[in-house]
Amino acid sequence: MQLPGTNLSRRAVLGGSLGALGVLLAGCTPAQPDPNNTGGNGGSGRLLSLQTPASSGSWDPVIGSDLESQRITRQVYDRLVGIDAQTGNPAPSLAESWTVSEDGLSYEFVLRQGITFSDDTPFNADAVVANVNRWKALGSVKEYDAAAISTLLDAVEDSKESTPTPTKQSPSPSPSQTPQSSGPSQEPTTQDDATTSRPEDAAGLPQVKGGDPLDNQLSDVETALISAAAPDERTVRLTLRRPITPLLRALTHPAFSIVSPQALKEADALRGLAKKDTLRRGAVGTGPFTAATDGETVVLTARHGHFSGEIAVDQIRLTPTPRVSRRVWDLEAQKSDGFDLVTVDVLKELVLSAVQVPPRDPFSVTYLGLNRSNKWLADDRVRRALAHAIDRNALLDLFLSSSKAASSPLAPSLGIEDPGTSYPFDPEKARRLLADAKYTGQKIPFLFPTDVARPYLPLPERLFSKLSGMLSTVGITVEPVAVKWDDGYFTAVRTGRHAGLHLLGIQGTYRDPENFLGPLFSRTTEQLDYDSPEVRRRLRVARALPEGESRQQAYADIVELLTVDLPLIPLVYPISSLALGPRILEYPVSPVLDEPLARVRLA
């Protein structure tokens, strides 16, 4: 029980849940750490060796959307706006301060002085404007890898935005895809109302409470960003066509890192995506480290004198090690100082070895994606059957304790209410829906990754096995498609290859619903083949609404529409953790993975 006047943090609770395992194992005597341990660093106290669960993709921050690429770009680049480690709020970084006009259409940033990029070119307002102009050019890029920028800036060329009529419909159209003359009802729809005079297993109507976005001028499809200007060398002014309420929070995303304009010019990337490959492994930023490779290992070398403060290490080696058993073995053999990610099957062994296992606060969602270009998944009855066939609570033993069954594509800490529509575990109802759809066991491809662990997919092979068993029980036949993560799993999912089911997740990088929903649903993607002009308009309006109840309700309505349409099935809100050896005294654990390795403190 919490005493009056105390403030028990969520991290303390999570730490306690992991610590409880240590109490259960108290009868065992763990080995004591060797005070002379150097983590395989040859006796150097200034070299930090860490293992990662996968290799990194591109280091070009605008397209480095995988978590391992972002782990590196966070160390090499700075952003205009950083994240306060204590509150999670936007904090000064390359911008010392900023002001926002009352109407939210003008932002002015005052920049730090005396800073240079790692190529020795100066950081100034012109450098920021060059990057902003690149972001603006990316607004019309359709590649998913650039979605963190392109969807936020709203630069879309889509004739369907002017009308709610979709280009195609499923055999039984989902509500937000069905042509409507005046949008969804502005009155709440109860579950009883939704099923009155309807077949027992019919889809419910969306229980939205907000108004129709068609009449809102904020649904304009032109890009939100008009221009960036540099009145002087330390001032940058952004002018918007309509507000982007989460803009300051979004600028903390690694995609908005500030790259040397000289490096952008050499890569022919000043007006969008690089036409050369120099940015893939060329990282020219103002951050506390430079990056290079030594075989598969990424080597980060400190740039001492960084404005963020003292850097406690001279060099960091990040070695991809897909097998968690190998990561555990190397840590216990003092061949590394720590690793990401801990899975539930090795937690007991780590606790017995007195390894630090700091958890991150939950801020991700594991989901089952449903690609509608598969003829069976285009039928809403089959999608609902899938949702009713899955017992989410039975999946939790694959995740660390305190992970919860998911009911929304949004992390719970964002404070958006859960959808009124739900799909409780009901195998019999799933069978009835399949029979109604005349599905008789035809194979549906099921894509899942191997040899990897992600914060939202700690044990993907086992998760696939459990899910396929549940689906088989109701008569759904899946065709397993296993792809190694490093052999292009992410690309296979994003391009819609093997159209059918797939496992993936959303890892939040800043605290706003836009971060979770925008990249997936602001445009029709090949990953899901989900086309809802209604959802797109509502997203455009929601990101421009001022903070408050109306904005919260706008996102709740979007989640409700998505829950009825079922482009994906949320499964779990997972917890992720690291394992740290005795040399690491302090590590900046972050729910949004903003973990500056310059702040790691060594014994």
Side-chain angles (χ1 to χ4, degrees), residues 123 131 168 185 225 234 261 267 338 344 361 372 387 428 432 438 469 477 499 504 509 514 528 586:
F123 165 77
N131 278 267
K168 58 184 176 180
S185 169
L225 176 62
R234 64 172 311 201
V344 67
D361 287 352
R372 296 188 186 201
E428 184 54 38
R432 291 198 304 269
K438 295 181 171 52
T477 304
L504 209 60
T509 47
E514 166 65 23
L528 299 170
E586 184 176 330

Side-chain angles (χ1 to χ4, degrees), residues 259-274:
V259 184
S260 160
Q262 181 62 35
L264 293 177
K265 182 178 179 181
E266 293 174 357
D268 200 8
L270 286 169
R271 291 295 180 267
L273 297 177

Side-chain angles (χ1 to χ4, degrees), residues 413-436:
S413 61
L414 291 171
I416 306 299
E417 66 182 35
D418 285 341
T421 299
S422 63
Y423 302 92
F425 178 52
D426 190 339
E428 184 54 38
K429 187 170 186 177
R431 294 186 188 97
R432 291 198 304 269
L433 286 163
L434 293 172
D436 189 37

Side-chain angles (χ1 to χ4, degrees), residues 183-264:
S185 169
Q186 298 186 23
E187 296 297 324
T189 303
T190 65
Q191 289 281 16
D192 289 340
D193 292 336
T195 56
T196 300
S197 301
R198 295 167 65 84
E200 179 185 356
D201 296 325
L205 298 175
Q207 301 177 55
V208 297
K209 301 175 183 177
D212 180 1
L214 283 172
D215 296 328
N216 194 317
Q217 63 179 353
L218 298 177
S219 66
D220 175 26
V221 300
E222 289 189 86
T223 179
L225 176 62
I226 295 177
S227 65
D232 56 62
E233 68 175 10
R234 64 172 311 201
T235 306
V236 172
R237 184 176 299 125
L238 304 184
T239 303
L240 307 181
R241 178 169 284 106
R242 60 183 174 276
I244 305 177
T245 299
L247 180 60
L248 288 175
R249 294 189 290 275
L251 289 176
T252 68
H253 192 294
F256 290 96
S257 298
I258 302 298
V259 184
S260 160
Q262 181 62 35
L264 293 177

Side-chain angles (χ1 to χ4, degrees), residues 6-52:
T6 64
N7 182 17
L8 185 61
S9 71
R10 178 181 295 177
R11 182 165 295 159
V13 174
L14 295 175
S17 67
L18 292 174
L21 180 55
V23 173
L24 294 174
L25 300 175
C28 304
T29 304
Q32 296 301 311
D34 179 0
N36 298 315
N37 172 39
T38 61
N41 293 329
S44 170
R46 304 286 293 184
L47 179 62
L48 177 65
S49 176
L50 300 173
Q51 291 179 327
T52 61

